[in-house]
Amino acid sequence: MKQDSTQVIIVGGGITGLTAALYLGQQGVSFILIEKHRGTSIHPRARTIDTRTMELYRGLGLSEALREGGKALAPAWGILRGTNLVETLATTQSDVIGKANFPKTFAAMKALAEKSPESVCRCTQDISEAIIYARAVQHGLDLRFNHELQAFQQDTDRVEVLVKNRETEEVYAIHAQYMIAADGANSFVRKQLDIPCTGHGAWMDLLNIYFEADLGALVKGREFSQFLVDTPEITGFLLAINNTDRWTFHLHRPKEQAIEEILRKVIGIPDLKVTVLSTLPWQLTVRIAAQLRVNRIFIAGDAAHTMTPYAGKGASAGVQDVHNLAWKLAAVLRHQAGDALLDTYQTERQPVGAFYANLSGEMAGRNGLIDESKLLQYGEKLLGLPDYGYQSTAVVRPSDAAFNFFKGEPGTCIPHMWLDEARTQSTLDWIKGQFVLVANGHFEYWDSACKMAPGVRLVRLPANEEWMSLTQTTPTDALLIRPDDFVAARLNILQPYQQLSATLLKVCGA
Ligand SMILES: Cc1cc2nc3c(=O)[nH]c(=O)nc-3n(C[C@H](O)[C@H](O)[C@H](O)COP(=O)(O)OP(=O)(O)OC[C@H]3O[C@@H](n4cnc5c(N)ncnc54)[C@H](O)[C@@H]3O)c2cc1C
């Protein structure tokens, strides 16, 4: 039997697995990605990429392409409710459609705009995955689509998987040091590992109907994100995909009527030309894995936390998982970190996935549709800068302290500040997947300190008042930032300069 070997195997070429590929590639880690389908998602699925995730894609040079890819969907905001779309649009004043529906959320968006170089982006998953895939191909990464994981085992030294090439039927082995399972909600890997899960589980079956119908003239100027229908006959929600001829309807309960008939009723045009492009059954689910690491295997994305779409966080949470994991794997594979660093993936990411998954469940109303009152309540939180912090051995902070966000506190994300008048360069752009030490002065001292701490790049920011006020630092302070943009520690020249290398070793569990 053929045997390949690599450092990391990624199972799953959805948004989580593909993004993991870009991050491992950035870190110079060799890997093989296997995906059972021939290509990326043909279903639009996720339509929102949160602000923090856009910051991550900015770091990968993809945020503009994603925004461009999603521009047809961009005006679609707001939730409508009614029996059919034509009637609802006719009786709803245009100023309460879309943006004006969510004044609180949009006010929060404006405030957030000051805190990030990016903003929330509308882009459907068929487009976003294709963009990420194209970048991975451009980088010559080893992506094996139409290859399915059939079995795996691990021992203390390695993971071995059996893979079937679905085109040739050939079954072959791959050996690796680690495996990332990003194999989705029904994760074969999670089930085989018998990882205990919490959460409601699956409680409702829906059918995602992706269809073509020319509604451009009907919705122009009155764009909406979701149209909720809950009548004795039909329960489901219509989602805008490109605001003209592409839509999805998520139908709850099996129906005896033909799908096209249901769609015409929902829209309210009896002779509308409707073409069903594809259908995808899915389940409203909240399932949270209690463990994200089993020795050499890590689970990420929907495999780790399956959530309802109502918090709009599934894809974003998966992307943030692998951003957290990739640099840690790279540091261990380079022998710059100890195995304990890999445990912090679980410590840091499991509570975040659990939080969003539980919230997404809370946002589902009794009829299985989104509960708009919850969206108004949580909208600000969901737009998404990380107002979660990490409390683990990979950050130096008092264990019982509450988090202060956007102030450069260890365990929180580095605050954004524009570095030029044209507002093109952000402090976030410093990081580039490496450890960075941002010093406010005393550069000779920090230079010597960095020489003793391999892999730490010094950023000199001479006594910048705005930065010092933002981060509540003085000219003698420096911030050590991890490769995933989170602050690892605050340092000061009053400490011996071996302090930096000692802190690095501590953070890396070496
Ligand atoms: C209607 C809807 C709306 C949504 N809206 C949003 C939103 O607005 N924002 C948001 O962030 N999220 C949203 N989501 C959630 C989002 O789609 C998922 O969270 C996201 O797709 C998870 O990505 P993933 O890569 O972890 O898993 P998946 O996308 O499920 O990818 C897993 C991949 O693994 C592959 N695979 C599985 N088993 C094997 C195997 N044995 N061998 C090889 N390959 C395998 C699968 O083929 C698949 O391609 C929405 C979901 C739905 C259904």
Side-chain angles (χ1 to χ4, degrees), residues 286-347:
V286 172
R287 188 180 297 113
I288 303 153
Q291 220 179 321
L292 303 192
R293 175 184 188 189
V294 179
N295 305 327
R296 294 183 164 270
I297 301 175
F298 301 84
I299 57 170
D302 271 20
H305 35 68
T306 310
M307 42 189 100
T308 80
Y310 303 144
K313 286 289 177 181
S316 292
V319 170
Q320 292 171 32
D321 285 345
V322 292
H323 186 232
N324 181 288
L325 178 58
W327 71 268
K328 294 176 179 174
L329 283 172
V332 172
L333 286 163
R334 282 197 292 263
H335 307 293
Q336 287 170 345
D339 183 76
L341 181 64
L342 298 177
D343 282 337
T344 66
Y345 168 64
Q346 144 93 26
T347 319

Short mmCIF file of all heavy atoms in Angstrom, two decimals, residues 286-347:
data_model
loop_
_atom_site.label_atom_id
_atom_site.label_comp_id
_atom_site.label_asym_id
_atom_site.label_seq_id
_atom_site.Cartn_x
_atom_site.Cartn_y
_atom_site.Cartn_z
N VAL A 286 -27.43 22.10 18.59
CA VAL A 286 -26.39 22.66 19.46
C VAL A 286 -25.66 21.47 20.07
O VAL A 286 -26.25 20.70 20.85
CB VAL A 286 -26.98 23.56 20.57
CG1 VAL A 286 -25.89 23.97 21.56
CG2 VAL A 286 -27.62 24.80 19.97
N ARG A 287 -24.42 21.28 19.65
CA ARG A 287 -23.64 20.14 20.16
C ARG A 287 -22.22 20.64 20.42
O ARG A 287 -21.55 21.14 19.52
CB ARG A 287 -23.63 19.00 19.15
CG ARG A 287 -22.99 17.73 19.72
CD ARG A 287 -22.96 16.58 18.73
NE ARG A 287 -24.27 16.12 18.33
CZ ARG A 287 -24.78 16.24 17.10
NH1 ARG A 287 -24.08 16.81 16.16
NH2 ARG A 287 -25.97 15.78 16.82
N ILE A 288 -21.81 20.51 21.67
CA ILE A 288 -20.51 21.08 22.06
C ILE A 288 -19.60 19.97 22.56
O ILE A 288 -19.93 19.30 23.55
CB ILE A 288 -20.72 22.12 23.19
CG1 ILE A 288 -21.70 23.22 22.71
CG2 ILE A 288 -19.40 22.73 23.63
CD1 ILE A 288 -22.45 23.88 23.83
N ALA A 289 -18.49 19.78 21.89
CA ALA A 289 -17.54 18.76 22.35
C ALA A 289 -16.87 19.25 23.62
O ALA A 289 -16.44 20.41 23.72
CB ALA A 289 -16.49 18.51 21.27
N ALA A 290 -16.79 18.37 24.61
CA ALA A 290 -16.19 18.76 25.88
C ALA A 290 -14.67 18.80 25.78
O ALA A 290 -13.99 19.44 26.58
CB ALA A 290 -16.61 17.77 26.96
N GLN A 291 -14.14 18.13 24.78
CA GLN A 291 -12.68 17.99 24.64
C GLN A 291 -12.31 18.32 23.20
O GLN A 291 -12.95 17.80 22.28
CB GLN A 291 -12.38 16.51 24.87
CG GLN A 291 -11.17 16.19 25.67
CD GLN A 291 -11.08 14.67 25.79
OE1 GLN A 291 -12.08 13.98 25.97
NE2 GLN A 291 -9.88 14.15 25.67
N LEU A 292 -11.32 19.16 22.99
CA LEU A 292 -10.92 19.50 21.62
C LEU A 292 -9.61 18.81 21.24
O LEU A 292 -9.15 18.93 20.11
CB LEU A 292 -10.75 21.01 21.45
CG LEU A 292 -11.96 21.89 21.77
CD1 LEU A 292 -11.72 23.31 21.28
CD2 LEU A 292 -13.23 21.34 21.16
N ARG A 293 -8.97 18.16 22.25
CA ARG A 293 -7.71 17.47 21.96
C ARG A 293 -7.77 16.06 22.52
O ARG A 293 -8.14 15.88 23.68
CB ARG A 293 -6.55 18.22 22.62
CG ARG A 293 -5.24 17.48 22.46
CD ARG A 293 -4.05 18.12 23.16
NE ARG A 293 -2.85 17.40 22.74
CZ ARG A 293 -1.65 17.54 23.25
NH1 ARG A 293 -1.45 18.41 24.23
NH2 ARG A 293 -0.64 16.84 22.79
N VAL A 294 -7.40 15.11 21.69
CA VAL A 294 -7.17 13.76 22.21
C VAL A 294 -5.78 13.37 21.70
O VAL A 294 -5.59 13.04 20.53
CB VAL A 294 -8.25 12.76 21.71
CG1 VAL A 294 -7.96 11.36 22.24
CG2 VAL A 294 -9.64 13.22 22.14
N ASN A 295 -4.82 13.52 22.56
CA ASN A 295 -3.40 13.25 22.26
C ASN A 295 -2.92 14.03 21.03
O ASN A 295 -2.75 15.23 21.11
CB ASN A 295 -3.15 11.75 22.12
CG ASN A 295 -3.62 11.02 23.38
OD1 ASN A 295 -3.54 11.58 24.47
ND2 ASN A 295 -4.14 9.82 23.22
N ARG A 296 -2.82 13.36 19.89
CA ARG A 296 -2.26 14.03 18.70
C ARG A 296 -3.34 14.54 17.75
O ARG A 296 -3.05 14.99 16.65
CB ARG A 296 -1.32 13.07 17.96
CG ARG A 296 -0.10 12.74 18.80
CD ARG A 296 0.89 11.86 18.13
NE ARG A 296 2.11 11.97 18.90
CZ ARG A 296 3.07 12.87 18.67
NH1 ARG A 296 2.97 13.68 17.64
NH2 ARG A 296 4.13 12.94 19.44
N ILE A 297 -4.58 14.42 18.18
CA ILE A 297 -5.69 14.81 17.29
C ILE A 297 -6.46 15.98 17.91
O ILE A 297 -6.78 15.98 19.10
CB ILE A 297 -6.64 13.61 17.07
CG1 ILE A 297 -5.84 12.46 16.42
CG2 ILE A 297 -7.82 14.01 16.19
CD1 ILE A 297 -6.61 11.18 16.25
N PHE A 298 -6.75 16.97 17.06
CA PHE A 298 -7.46 18.18 17.50
C PHE A 298 -8.73 18.31 16.66
O PHE A 298 -8.68 18.10 15.45
CB PHE A 298 -6.58 19.41 17.29
CG PHE A 298 -5.29 19.32 18.04
CD1 PHE A 298 -4.21 18.64 17.49
CD2 PHE A 298 -5.16 19.87 19.31
CE1 PHE A 298 -3.01 18.51 18.19
CE2 PHE A 298 -3.98 19.74 20.01
CZ PHE A 298 -2.91 19.06 19.46
N ILE A 299 -9.82 18.67 17.29
CA ILE A 299 -11.02 18.91 16.48
C ILE A 299 -11.31 20.40 16.46
O ILE A 299 -11.03 21.13 17.42
CB ILE A 299 -12.24 18.08 16.94
CG1 ILE A 299 -12.58 18.34 18.41
CG2 ILE A 299 -12.01 16.59 16.72
CD1 ILE A 299 -13.91 17.71 18.79
N ALA A 300 -11.88 20.85 15.34
CA ALA A 300 -12.08 22.29 15.14
C ALA A 300 -13.34 22.53 14.31
O ALA A 300 -13.79 21.66 13.57
CB ALA A 300 -10.86 22.88 14.42
N GLY A 301 -13.86 23.75 14.42
CA GLY A 301 -15.02 24.14 13.60
C GLY A 301 -16.28 23.42 14.07
O GLY A 301 -16.45 23.11 15.24
N ASP A 302 -17.17 23.13 13.11
CA ASP A 302 -18.44 22.48 13.46
C ASP A 302 -18.22 21.13 14.14
O ASP A 302 -19.07 20.69 14.91
CB ASP A 302 -19.29 22.25 12.19
CG ASP A 302 -20.18 23.45 11.89
OD1 ASP A 302 -19.89 24.54 12.40
OD2 ASP A 302 -21.16 23.29 11.14
N ALA A 303 -17.12 20.47 13.88
CA ALA A 303 -16.83 19.20 14.55
C ALA A 303 -16.74 19.41 16.06
O ALA A 303 -17.11 18.55 16.85
CB ALA A 303 -15.52 18.61 14.02
N ALA A 304 -16.27 20.58 16.45
CA ALA A 304 -16.06 20.88 17.87
C ALA A 304 -17.27 21.56 18.50
O ALA A 304 -17.51 21.43 19.69
CB ALA A 304 -14.83 21.77 18.03
N HIS A 305 -18.00 22.33 17.69
CA HIS A 305 -19.15 23.07 18.23
C HIS A 305 -20.14 23.29 17.09
O HIS A 305 -19.94 24.15 16.24
CB HIS A 305 -18.71 24.42 18.83
CG HIS A 305 -17.58 25.06 18.09
ND1 HIS A 305 -17.72 25.56 16.81
CD2 HIS A 305 -16.29 25.26 18.41
CE1 HIS A 305 -16.57 26.05 16.40
NE2 HIS A 305 -15.67 25.87 17.35
N THR A 306 -21.19 22.51 17.10
CA THR A 306 -22.21 22.69 16.06
C THR A 306 -23.25 23.63 16.63
O THR A 306 -23.69 23.45 17.78
CB THR A 306 -22.86 21.34 15.73
OG1 THR A 306 -21.82 20.40 15.48
CG2 THR A 306 -23.73 21.45 14.49
N MET A 307 -23.61 24.64 15.86
CA MET A 307 -24.55 25.63 16.38
C MET A 307 -25.64 25.93 15.37
O MET A 307 -25.51 25.59 14.19
CB MET A 307 -23.82 26.91 16.80
CG MET A 307 -22.74 27.41 15.90
SD MET A 307 -21.80 28.78 16.66
CE MET A 307 -20.33 27.97 17.24
N THR A 308 -26.71 26.55 15.80
CA THR A 308 -27.74 26.97 14.85
C THR A 308 -27.14 28.16 14.08
O THR A 308 -26.21 28.83 14.56
CB THR A 308 -29.03 27.43 15.56
OG1 THR A 308 -28.84 28.78 16.03
CG2 THR A 308 -29.42 26.53 16.72
N PRO A 309 -27.70 28.46 12.90
CA PRO A 309 -27.12 29.59 12.15
C PRO A 309 -27.49 30.95 12.71
O PRO A 309 -27.01 31.96 12.24
CB PRO A 309 -27.71 29.42 10.74
CG PRO A 309 -28.87 28.52 10.88
CD PRO A 309 -28.71 27.73 12.14
N TYR A 310 -28.34 31.00 13.76
CA TYR A 310 -28.94 32.27 14.14
C TYR A 310 -27.99 33.26 14.82
O TYR A 310 -28.28 34.44 14.91
CB TYR A 310 -30.18 32.03 15.01
CG TYR A 310 -31.18 31.15 14.29
CD1 TYR A 310 -31.95 30.22 14.96
CD2 TYR A 310 -31.33 31.25 12.90
CE1 TYR A 310 -32.84 29.40 14.28
CE2 TYR A 310 -32.21 30.44 12.22
CZ TYR A 310 -32.96 29.51 12.91
OH TYR A 310 -33.82 28.70 12.22
N ALA A 311 -26.89 32.76 15.34
CA ALA A 311 -25.91 33.70 15.89
C ALA A 311 -24.89 34.08 14.81
O ALA A 311 -24.05 34.96 15.03
CB ALA A 311 -25.21 33.09 17.10
N GLY A 312 -24.95 33.41 13.67
CA GLY A 312 -24.03 33.72 12.55
C GLY A 312 -22.57 33.52 12.92
O GLY A 312 -21.69 34.26 12.48
N LYS A 313 -22.30 32.51 13.74
CA LYS A 313 -20.94 32.37 14.27
C LYS A 313 -20.25 31.06 13.89
O LYS A 313 -19.08 30.88 14.23
CB LYS A 313 -20.97 32.46 15.80
CG LYS A 313 -21.19 33.84 16.32
CD LYS A 313 -19.95 34.69 16.09
CE LYS A 313 -20.19 36.11 16.54
NZ LYS A 313 -19.02 36.96 16.31
N GLY A 314 -20.95 30.13 13.27
CA GLY A 314 -20.37 28.81 13.05
C GLY A 314 -19.06 28.86 12.29
O GLY A 314 -18.02 28.37 12.76
N ALA A 315 -19.09 29.47 11.12
CA ALA A 315 -17.89 29.52 10.28
C ALA A 315 -16.82 30.37 10.96
O ALA A 315 -15.64 29.99 11.01
CB ALA A 315 -18.24 30.08 8.91
N SER A 316 -17.23 31.51 11.50
CA SER A 316 -16.25 32.41 12.12
C SER A 316 -15.56 31.73 13.30
O SER A 316 -14.34 31.86 13.47
CB SER A 316 -16.95 33.69 12.60
OG SER A 316 -17.38 34.45 11.49
N ALA A 317 -16.33 30.98 14.10
CA ALA A 317 -15.71 30.31 15.26
C ALA A 317 -14.70 29.26 14.79
O ALA A 317 -13.64 29.09 15.40
CB ALA A 317 -16.79 29.67 16.12
N GLY A 318 -15.01 28.56 13.70
CA GLY A 318 -14.08 27.56 13.17
C GLY A 318 -12.79 28.19 12.68
O GLY A 318 -11.68 27.68 12.94
N VAL A 319 -12.91 29.31 12.00
CA VAL A 319 -11.72 30.02 11.49
C VAL A 319 -10.85 30.47 12.67
O VAL A 319 -9.61 30.33 12.65
CB VAL A 319 -12.16 31.22 10.63
CG1 VAL A 319 -10.99 32.12 10.28
CG2 VAL A 319 -12.87 30.74 9.37
N GLN A 320 -11.51 30.97 13.71
CA GLN A 320 -10.74 31.43 14.88
C GLN A 320 -10.10 30.26 15.63
O GLN A 320 -9.01 30.40 16.20
CB GLN A 320 -11.65 32.27 15.79
CG GLN A 320 -12.05 33.58 15.12
CD GLN A 320 -13.12 34.35 15.86
OE1 GLN A 320 -13.20 34.30 17.07
NE2 GLN A 320 -13.95 35.06 15.12
N ASP A 321 -10.75 29.11 15.61
CA ASP A 321 -10.14 27.91 16.22
C ASP A 321 -8.78 27.61 15.58
O ASP A 321 -7.77 27.42 16.27
CB ASP A 321 -11.01 26.65 15.97
CG ASP A 321 -12.26 26.58 16.81
OD1 ASP A 321 -12.39 27.33 17.79
OD2 ASP A 321 -13.13 25.75 16.46
N VAL A 322 -8.78 27.53 14.26
CA VAL A 322 -7.54 27.07 13.61
C VAL A 322 -6.46 28.16 13.61
O VAL A 322 -5.27 27.86 13.56
CB VAL A 322 -7.79 26.52 12.18
CG1 VAL A 322 -8.58 25.22 12.28
CG2 VAL A 322 -8.51 27.50 11.28
N HIS A 323 -6.90 29.41 13.73
CA HIS A 323 -5.92 30.49 13.89
C HIS A 323 -5.19 30.31 15.22
O HIS A 323 -3.99 30.54 15.34
CB HIS A 323 -6.67 31.83 13.85
CG HIS A 323 -5.78 33.04 13.87
ND1 HIS A 323 -5.96 34.05 14.76
CD2 HIS A 323 -4.73 33.39 13.11
CE1 HIS A 323 -5.04 34.98 14.56
NE2 HIS A 323 -4.28 34.60 13.56
N ASN A 324 -5.95 29.90 16.23
CA ASN A 324 -5.38 29.66 17.56
C ASN A 324 -4.46 28.45 17.55
O ASN A 324 -3.42 28.43 18.22
CB ASN A 324 -6.53 29.44 18.55
CG ASN A 324 -6.07 29.20 19.98
OD1 ASN A 324 -5.54 28.15 20.28
ND2 ASN A 324 -6.25 30.19 20.85
N LEU A 325 -4.84 27.43 16.78
CA LEU A 325 -4.12 26.15 16.82
C LEU A 325 -2.85 26.12 15.95
O LEU A 325 -1.84 25.53 16.34
CB LEU A 325 -5.09 25.04 16.37
CG LEU A 325 -4.57 23.61 16.29
CD1 LEU A 325 -4.02 23.15 17.65
CD2 LEU A 325 -5.68 22.66 15.83
N ALA A 326 -2.92 26.76 14.79
CA ALA A 326 -1.84 26.56 13.79
C ALA A 326 -0.47 26.99 14.31
O ALA A 326 0.52 26.28 14.16
CB ALA A 326 -2.19 27.31 12.51
N TRP A 327 -0.40 28.15 14.95
CA TRP A 327 0.92 28.63 15.41
C TRP A 327 1.45 27.76 16.54
O TRP A 327 2.66 27.57 16.67
CB TRP A 327 0.88 30.11 15.81
CG TRP A 327 0.15 30.44 17.08
CD1 TRP A 327 -1.16 30.77 17.20
CD2 TRP A 327 0.69 30.48 18.41
NE1 TRP A 327 -1.47 31.02 18.53
CE2 TRP A 327 -0.35 30.85 19.29
CE3 TRP A 327 1.95 30.26 18.96
CZ2 TRP A 327 -0.18 31.01 20.67
CZ3 TRP A 327 2.13 30.41 20.34
CH2 TRP A 327 1.08 30.77 21.17
N LYS A 328 0.53 27.20 17.30
CA LYS A 328 0.95 26.33 18.42
C LYS A 328 1.55 25.03 17.86
O LYS A 328 2.61 24.58 18.33
CB LYS A 328 -0.24 26.04 19.35
CG LYS A 328 -0.73 27.30 20.06
CD LYS A 328 -1.97 27.07 20.91
CE LYS A 328 -2.38 28.37 21.59
NZ LYS A 328 -3.63 28.26 22.33
N LEU A 329 0.88 24.45 16.88
CA LEU A 329 1.43 23.24 16.25
C LEU A 329 2.79 23.55 15.64
O LEU A 329 3.74 22.77 15.78
CB LEU A 329 0.47 22.73 15.16
CG LEU A 329 -0.78 21.99 15.64
CD1 LEU A 329 -1.72 21.71 14.48
CD2 LEU A 329 -0.40 20.67 16.33
N ALA A 330 2.86 24.70 14.96
CA ALA A 330 4.13 25.06 14.30
C ALA A 330 5.24 25.20 15.33
O ALA A 330 6.36 24.70 15.13
CB ALA A 330 3.96 26.36 13.52
N ALA A 331 4.95 25.86 16.46
CA ALA A 331 5.99 26.08 17.48
C ALA A 331 6.45 24.75 18.06
O ALA A 331 7.64 24.55 18.31
CB ALA A 331 5.44 26.99 18.58
N VAL A 332 5.52 23.82 18.26
CA VAL A 332 5.90 22.51 18.80
C VAL A 332 6.70 21.73 17.76
O VAL A 332 7.73 21.12 18.07
CB VAL A 332 4.64 21.73 19.27
CG1 VAL A 332 4.99 20.31 19.66
CG2 VAL A 332 3.99 22.46 20.46
N LEU A 333 6.26 21.78 16.52
CA LEU A 333 6.98 21.04 15.47
C LEU A 333 8.39 21.61 15.24
O LEU A 333 9.29 20.89 14.84
CB LEU A 333 6.17 21.08 14.16
CG LEU A 333 4.92 20.17 14.16
CD1 LEU A 333 3.96 20.54 13.05
CD2 LEU A 333 5.35 18.70 14.05
N ARG A 334 8.55 22.89 15.52
CA ARG A 334 9.89 23.51 15.40
C ARG A 334 10.71 23.33 16.67
O ARG A 334 11.79 23.90 16.80
CB ARG A 334 9.75 25.02 15.12
CG ARG A 334 9.40 25.36 13.69
CD ARG A 334 9.69 26.82 13.38
NE ARG A 334 8.81 27.73 14.09
CZ ARG A 334 7.71 28.26 13.55
NH1 ARG A 334 7.36 27.98 12.31
NH2 ARG A 334 6.97 29.07 14.25
N HIS A 335 10.17 22.62 17.65
CA HIS A 335 10.81 22.39 18.95
C HIS A 335 11.05 23.69 19.72
O HIS A 335 11.96 23.80 20.52
CB HIS A 335 12.14 21.63 18.80
CG HIS A 335 11.97 20.37 18.01
ND1 HIS A 335 11.26 19.29 18.48
CD2 HIS A 335 12.39 20.03 16.77
CE1 HIS A 335 11.24 18.34 17.57
NE2 HIS A 335 11.92 18.76 16.51
N GLN A 336 10.19 24.70 19.45
CA GLN A 336 10.30 25.96 20.21
C GLN A 336 9.29 25.99 21.35
O GLN A 336 9.25 26.93 22.12
CB GLN A 336 10.05 27.15 19.28
CG GLN A 336 11.21 27.40 18.33
CD GLN A 336 10.86 28.41 17.26
OE1 GLN A 336 9.70 28.73 17.04
NE2 GLN A 336 11.89 28.91 16.60
N ALA A 337 8.43 24.99 21.39
CA ALA A 337 7.40 24.95 22.43
C ALA A 337 7.22 23.52 22.89
O ALA A 337 7.54 22.58 22.16
CB ALA A 337 6.10 25.51 21.88
N GLY A 338 6.68 23.39 24.07
CA GLY A 338 6.45 22.05 24.61
C GLY A 338 5.02 21.61 24.35
O GLY A 338 4.16 22.41 23.95
N ASP A 339 4.78 20.36 24.62
CA ASP A 339 3.46 19.77 24.39
C ASP A 339 2.36 20.51 25.16
O ASP A 339 1.21 20.59 24.71
CB ASP A 339 3.52 18.29 24.81
CG ASP A 339 2.22 17.59 24.53
OD1 ASP A 339 1.97 17.28 23.34
OD2 ASP A 339 1.43 17.38 25.48
N ALA A 340 2.73 21.10 26.31
CA ALA A 340 1.72 21.79 27.14
C ALA A 340 1.05 22.93 26.37
O ALA A 340 -0.11 23.27 26.64
CB ALA A 340 2.38 22.32 28.41
N LEU A 341 1.78 23.52 25.41
CA LEU A 341 1.18 24.61 24.63
C LEU A 341 -0.05 24.10 23.88
O LEU A 341 -1.04 24.82 23.71
CB LEU A 341 2.20 25.22 23.65
CG LEU A 341 1.69 26.39 22.82
CD1 LEU A 341 1.32 27.58 23.69
CD2 LEU A 341 2.70 26.80 21.76
N LEU A 342 0.01 22.86 23.43
CA LEU A 342 -1.11 22.32 22.65
C LEU A 342 -2.36 22.14 23.52
O LEU A 342 -3.48 22.21 23.02
CB LEU A 342 -0.71 20.99 21.99
CG LEU A 342 0.45 21.11 21.00
CD1 LEU A 342 0.83 19.75 20.44
CD2 LEU A 342 0.09 22.07 19.85
N ASP A 343 -2.15 21.93 24.81
CA ASP A 343 -3.31 21.83 25.70
C ASP A 343 -4.06 23.16 25.80
O ASP A 343 -5.26 23.18 26.10
CB ASP A 343 -2.87 21.44 27.12
CG ASP A 343 -2.56 19.96 27.23
OD1 ASP A 343 -3.07 19.19 26.39
OD2 ASP A 343 -1.77 19.58 28.12
N THR A 344 -3.34 24.25 25.55
CA THR A 344 -4.02 25.55 25.69
C THR A 344 -5.02 25.79 24.56
O THR A 344 -5.87 26.65 24.65
CB THR A 344 -3.02 26.73 25.75
OG1 THR A 344 -2.35 26.84 24.48
CG2 THR A 344 -2.01 26.55 26.87
N TYR A 345 -4.91 25.02 23.47
CA TYR A 345 -5.94 25.12 22.41
C TYR A 345 -7.30 24.78 23.02
O TYR A 345 -8.28 25.50 22.83
CB TYR A 345 -5.59 24.18 21.25
CG TYR A 345 -6.72 24.01 20.26
CD1 TYR A 345 -7.19 25.09 19.51
CD2 TYR A 345 -7.36 22.78 20.09
CE1 TYR A 345 -8.24 24.95 18.62
CE2 TYR A 345 -8.41 22.63 19.20
CZ TYR A 345 -8.85 23.72 18.47
OH TYR A 345 -9.90 23.58 17.59
N GLN A 346 -7.32 23.70 23.75
CA GLN A 346 -8.56 23.26 24.40
C GLN A 346 -9.01 24.29 25.45
O GLN A 346 -10.16 24.70 25.49
CB GLN A 346 -8.30 21.88 25.03
CG GLN A 346 -8.96 21.58 26.33
CD GLN A 346 -10.29 20.87 26.12
OE1 GLN A 346 -10.48 20.20 25.11
NE2 GLN A 346 -11.18 21.03 27.06
N THR A 347 -8.05 24.72 26.29
CA THR A 347 -8.40 25.65 27.38
C THR A 347 -8.96 26.96 26.82
O THR A 347 -9.89 27.53 27.37
CB THR A 347 -7.12 26.00 28.20
OG1 THR A 347 -6.36 24.83 28.35
CG2 THR A 347 -7.44 26.61 29.53
#
